[in-house]
Amino acid sequence: MDFFEHQEVARKKTRLLVFYFLMAVVLIVAALNFIGFMLIRTQTSPEMPFSITDWFQHSWFYAVTFGTLLLILLGSLFRWFQLSAGGKAVASMVKAREVLPDTNDLLERRLLNVVEEMSIASGTSVPTVYVMDEEESINAFVAGLETSDTVLVVTKGALQNLTRQELQGVVAHEYSHIFNSDMRINVRLIAILAGILLLGQAGYFVMRFIRYGNIRSNKESGGAVVAVFVIGMSLFIIGYIGLFFGRLIKSAISRQREYLADASAVQYARDNEGLAGAFIKIKQQGSLLQNSHAEETSHMCISEPIKLNLDSLASHPPIEKRLTAIMPGWRNLAKRIEEERLRKMSQEQQHEDIELEPENKQAADFGFGAIIDTIGQPTTLHQHAAGALLLGLPEIIRQAARSQNSSYNATHLVLALLLSDDHQVSEPVLELIANKTSQQEADQVLELAQHITKDKRHLRLTMLDISIPSLKRLGAKERKEFLSLLREAIHLDSHISEFEYVLYAILQKNLSDIKQPPSNSIKSFNGVANEIQVILSATVHSTGQSDEEKQELYTKLIKPFVKETAPLIEKTFDAESFHQALKRLNQLTPMLKKPLIQALEDAVSYDGKVHPQEIELLRAIAECLNCPIPPTLEQAQQELAEEKK
């Protein structure tokens, strides 16, 4: 299956998840009603037997049924509200520590390098990285409602015990969950199961209250106390039934996805030793978490974080089966890893492991491949390309992108990108920056802009990508002020260029506090013909072909999407109508987005080459449609050619 088919499967899994949840709720309500029925029946005289019909007419039937439903609903809604901030809320829940983009810790720097490479290779936003400092075992997970709020969380054990190659395998596995929309399902699953698990917690509270609340029984109240205790015990038992169903749901949803993520990770890296090595160390050193939320997040982790008596209820397949699936001869690798574990790595070896790997420079013949085939499925060539693009960044640019508070920081870099859009410094923009901030900051922006020369244009998206984690660390007020300044600078000349739109659209999506996952409610092209006309016209104009060639290309590409003639819109780029069209098209189902992206690819590859301005616009479109596009391999080839001069 390709990216779009995986997205469609994810939509169906969401419906399946709701079905499982409703089944669990029905069975839990039925079980509680049965307990209530038996409790009252034992207190009635044999002369007047209490029937099941009597129970359905009894006030306790309504109290038990609606009380249970209300408790489950409130528990789920409360957890959903807690997690509405997305991945960051999950990281906070498990008390993970954010890794600063400009960290000087060698192990953390190595992890961030791996994450940056994978993000650029796949065309996704660089996630915020967290470490669970209290966890010595090896585990990791991703969480988020959409790609812009994704976090990657690893344990201290994973950070310290895995090699760079093994970290690449783990990160590639987690990115598969991002591409396949698994992480969104995972966060929803936490909220849904919270209501079911709340029943057990309520029963536990009732029993503790009776035991420690100085409640004394007498002849009059003794029966009531016993009844309340029985109800509390019943809730506690039902809570375990809820836990059983919760684990059953997680098992049904997660197990097969883990095999898929393992296979995808091997495919991305064209290397099974990295992930296999990580699994072997997990087998040796364990993956159990001590965190109090381990049960809630068990389905998200790369390996089972809780101890189970029944393997059939595990959210993950046995580690040995996963190893055999990706590397049948894994036992030989296990022996080698054990031998290496007994030898201590020297500081020099560790330092070499931290750096961006030299192999990234070996990608000499990239060629041009079909973009549609690489969406959500980056290859080892894309990883090499990402490494080459990162290595091509001037050091001052790299440091600014990863910094939030130093002399040159991420906000300065973004403004420098805007300032150097047409390769000529815009004096009005520079003056605006000085007025809104300070002359010193305007000078710093200008100095960075002087490093973004014409021959570095193909690196602009890379610069933007690695800046985003630092920009996300800005406070809400700072983010709002920064986006306001950027918007004002863009509107200074009363016209928004394609790159200005690209810059602002990507930043707004990643920095906005409002998270609105697409509804995917549009199931045909009939209602979006105008929007497709707008997007396809702008993309065709970005190709730089002659007017005759543009018309011929547009007529050919628009035909499958419209019933009536839709003419090529004039060349002037209208950012507002373009953005509104994208918002509407993002509601298409995944399988309808596929032919649209294919048509856009056909447009930009019309002459056999993809120019920077074309890939930048295509990237913004893909970002707004939640379809990650890896860098074109020609970009890396160009960077390598520059290095050889």
Side-chain angles (χ1 to χ4, degrees), residues 306-458:
I306 56 176
K307 191 172 183 179
L308 296 171
N309 295 323
L310 289 175
D311 288 341
S312 59
L313 293 180
S315 55
H316 296 67
I319 206 75
E320 289 194 2
K321 287 188 176 181
R322 296 170 71 183
L323 274 166
T324 301
I326 61 173
M327 179 181 275
W330 62 270
R331 286 179 174 81
N332 292 329
L333 177 61
K335 290 179 182 178
R336 195 165 77 239
I337 288 176
E338 179 62 19
E339 291 172 358
E340 292 175 356
R341 188 180 69 83
L342 298 176
R343 295 194 302 264
K344 228 176 174 181
M345 292 179 66
S346 68
Q347 187 65 32
E348 179 182 355
Q349 288 174 317
Q350 189 183 56
H351 178 71
E352 289 174 354
D353 195 40
I354 302 302
E355 298 300 323
L356 289 170
E357 290 186 328
E359 66 177 14
N360 290 323
K361 297 182 179 180
Q362 296 174 5
D365 184 16
F366 292 111
F368 177 73
I371 294 175
I372 194 76
D373 295 332
T374 64
I375 294 178
Q377 301 185 63
T379 67
T380 185
L381 288 180
H382 291 101
Q383 287 188 313
H384 291 321
L389 292 171
L390 285 167
L391 287 170
L393 296 176
E395 183 60 26
I396 190 174
I397 296 291
R398 190 182 295 115
Q399 290 179 358
R402 292 168 175 166
S403 176
Q404 183 184 356
N405 299 311
S406 66
S407 299
Y408 302 98
N409 58 47
T411 59
H412 296 153
L413 178 56
V414 171
L415 292 170
L417 286 168
L418 179 65
L419 198 64
S420 59
D421 180 20
D422 57 1
H423 312 299
Q424 294 180 354
V425 174
S426 172
E427 292 298 334
V429 171
L430 201 58
E431 185 177 343
L432 174 67
I433 295 171
N435 291 336
K436 293 290 185 178
T437 58
S438 67
Q439 186 59 51
Q440 181 182 1
E441 291 203 50
D443 292 341
Q444 290 165 337
V445 169
L446 178 60
E447 184 172 350
L448 288 175
Q450 291 170 347
H451 289 273
I452 309 174
T453 51
K454 189 173 183 179
D455 62 315
K456 298 294 183 185
R457 175 165 186 167
H458 63 289

Side-chain angles (χ1 to χ4, degrees), residues 467-583:
S467 299
I468 288 174
S470 296
L471 295 172
K472 284 182 178 179
R473 300 198 74 250
L474 295 172
K477 182 180 178 181
E478 291 175 300
R479 284 201 306 272
K480 185 177 180 180
E481 291 175 350
F482 170 65
L483 288 174
S484 176
L485 171 59
L486 190 64
R487 188 165 52 246
E488 189 174 348
I490 288 173
H491 283 89
L492 269 182
D493 59 359
S494 302
H495 171 68
I496 302 176
S497 69
E498 284 90 339
F499 179 71
E500 288 173 336
Y501 173 76
V502 169
L503 188 68
Y504 190 79
I506 292 177
L507 285 174
Q508 185 184 47
K509 180 175 175 58
N510 283 279
L511 301 184
S512 174
D513 291 325
I514 302 174
K515 305 300 178 186
Q516 295 180 331
S519 61
N520 298 132
S521 57
I522 301 178
K523 300 180 180 180
S524 75
F525 292 121
N526 294 336
V528 291
N530 291 338
E531 286 78 8
I532 294 176
Q533 178 190 19
V534 170
I535 300 302
L536 202 51
S537 294
T539 305
V540 167
H541 283 307
S542 74
T543 63
Q545 306 298 320
S546 66
D547 291 343
E548 184 179 339
E549 288 174 320
K550 287 178 184 177
Q551 186 62 58
E552 181 183 351
L553 176 61
Y554 172 81
T555 302
K556 175 185 174 182
L557 295 178
I558 194 69
K559 191 173 182 181
F561 301 104
V562 296
K563 293 181 179 179
E564 299 179 359
T565 304
L568 177 66
I569 298 175
E570 62 182 16
K571 185 175 181 179
T572 304
F573 181 73
D574 185 343
E576 181 59 29
S577 61
F578 189 85
H579 189 63
Q580 292 304 318
L582 282 178
K583 288 174 67 176

Side-chain angles (χ1 to χ4, degrees), residues 72-90:
I72 291 175
L73 179 63
L74 289 177
S76 293
L77 287 177
F78 178 73
R79 182 62 85 195
W80 179 252
F81 176 77
Q82 281 186 317
L83 301 180
S84 60
K88 187 176 181 179
V90 178

Side-chain angles (χ1 to χ4, degrees), residues 99 101 103 105-129 140 142 152 154 158-159 162-175 178-179 265 268-269 271 274-275 278 350-360 378-380 382-387 390 398 402 466 469:
V99 178
T103 178
D105 181 271
L106 294 180
L107 293 176
E108 292 177 356
R109 182 74 262 155
R110 179 184 64 179
L111 174 61
L112 292 184
N113 286 345
V114 170
V115 171
E116 284 180 353
E117 287 176 16
M118 192 64 197
S119 294
I120 293 170
S122 59
T124 58
S125 302
V126 180
T128 307
V129 178
V142 287
L152 171 69
V154 303
L159 188 67
L162 298 183
T163 66
R164 191 184 206 280
Q165 184 183 23
E166 291 161 354
L167 273 176
Q168 284 178 318
V170 169
V171 170
H173 171 100
E174 296 304 329
Y175 268 66
I178 298 175
F179 302 145
Y268 300 156
D271 166 38
L275 187 59
Q350 189 183 56
H351 178 71
E352 289 174 354
D353 195 40
I354 302 302
E355 298 300 323
L356 289 170
E357 290 186 328
E359 66 177 14
N360 290 323
T379 67
T380 185
H382 291 101
Q383 287 188 313
H384 291 321
L390 285 167
R398 190 182 295 115
R402 292 168 175 166
I466 66 173

